[in-house]
Amino acid sequence: VIPKMAEVEISVRSYVKLVLHAAKYPHCAVNGVLLADRKRYKDDKTVVIVECVPLFHLALGLSPMLEVALSQIDAYCDQNKLIMAGYYQANELIMDASPTTLTYKIMDRLCDNFHDASFYMVDNSKMTPDMEDAVFRVYALHDGKFKERNPDSITLDDQCLSAASGLLNQKVFRNLVDFDNHLDDITQDWLNNHLNEVIEIHSW
């Protein structure tokens, strides 16, 4: 477990969208990126994850699609003073929460631009309706290798688990849009602004 690194705080919106993406495609591997507030990191070296962008559920590592997605997300980050600070992945098999070649490939790219980036491997067995703790394990680069982060360095917003649990039970994941959906029909919003309002209501 890694010693002192930048603290990470995860917003309700980010956590819930990650969970909903994995829940929408339970028989597929899924992945996505997590965006952090650039100013908060600059001011106090805290990685505050404020947004989650679901990427794929069909072919996670298809290079041309990945390039299109990352360049659009990059442009969005520039416009909104955000940084790509994390990557998440849920594997196809319920008991498999191990990083893959793709995980490391995308993380190498993220770390080139932001050395405090982390990746989040979803433990599918924790994707339960009554969600008692975080559904992922978090890893970061330390001495040139990716190692699991100390759980104490990751803070979930107080409402993350209850909001995710409530929205899972309501099957709100049906409305989630990932980049596969967007590339299939570009009128579909990969930022999921329609879900942000629903999540906000459940965060009280």
Side-chain angles (χ1 to χ4, degrees), residues 8 10 16 18 20 25 58 65 100 115 121 154 160 163 175:
V8 176
I10 299 175
V16 169
L18 182 158
L20 294 180
Y25 301 105
L58 295 174
M65 319 263 277
T100 61
H115 67 93
M121 291 304 302
I154 316 285
C160 281
N175 303 321

Side-chain angles (χ1 to χ4, degrees), residues 20 166-176 195 198 202:
L20 294 180
L167 291 169
L168 263 185
N169 287 319
Q170 291 180 32
K171 298 189 168 37
V172 171
F173 50 77
R174 291 172 179 155
N175 303 321
L176 179 115
L195 280 185
V198 177
H202 275 77

Side-chain angles (χ1 to χ4, degrees), residues 152-164:
D152 293 341
S153 68
I154 316 285
T155 306
L156 294 186
D157 183 286
D158 290 345
Q159 303 302 316
C160 281
L161 299 178
S162 58

Side-chain angles (χ1 to χ4, degrees), residues 5-122:
M5 296 186 71
E7 300 283 315
V8 176
E9 295 175 11
I10 299 175
S11 71
V12 179
R13 177 189 293 185
S14 311
Y15 184 80
V16 169
K17 285 188 193 173
L18 182 158
V19 167
L20 294 180
H21 192 204
K24 184 174 182 179
Y25 301 105
H27 305 301
C28 303
V30 303
N31 64 354
V33 291
L34 299 167
L35 314 180
D37 183 321
R38 191 182 294 162
K39 187 174 186 304
R40 274 295 301 275
Y41 183 74
K42 199 173 170 186
D43 290 350
D44 60 15
K45 285 288 179 281
T46 303
V47 180
V48 182
I49 304 288
V50 293
E51 187 59 274
C52 166
V53 181
L55 287 175
F56 304 113
H57 65 274
L58 295 174
L60 303 199
L62 209 56
S63 288
M65 319 263 277
L66 188 59
E67 292 306 321
V68 168
L70 292 179
S71 66
Q72 286 193 39
I73 297 165
D74 222 14
Y76 176 78
C77 286
D78 286 346
Q79 291 160 9
N80 294 277
K81 299 185 173 60
L82 300 170
I83 32 183
M84 272 195 252
Y87 168 76
Y88 71 86
Q89 186 172 310
N91 293 331
E92 192 173 349
L93 301 175
I94 194 161
M95 299 315 289
D96 179 11
S98 302
T100 61
T101 308
L102 176 68
T103 317
Y104 295 121
K105 179 181 161 191
I106 292 180
M107 279 309 294
D108 285 343
R109 179 163 173 167
L110 259 59
C111 288
D112 281 347
N113 295 314
F114 182 62
H115 67 93
D116 267 325
S118 298
F119 71 84
Y120 300 70
M121 291 304 302
V122 175

Side-chain angles (χ1 to χ4, degrees), residues 160-204:
C160 281
L161 299 178
S162 58
S165 181
L167 291 169
L168 263 185
N169 287 319
Q170 291 180 32
K171 298 189 168 37
V172 171
F173 50 77
R174 291 172 179 155
N175 303 321
L176 179 115
V177 174
D178 67 10
F179 250 91
D180 271 327
N181 304 137
H182 172 74
L183 292 170
D184 198 35
D185 171 7
I186 58 165
T187 63
Q188 295 209 48
D189 172 24
W190 52 265
L191 282 168
N192 287 284
N193 285 306
H194 54 293
L195 280 185
N196 291 346
E197 294 170 27
V198 177
I199 294 167
E200 205 163 308
I201 291 164
H202 275 77
S203 307
W204 289 92

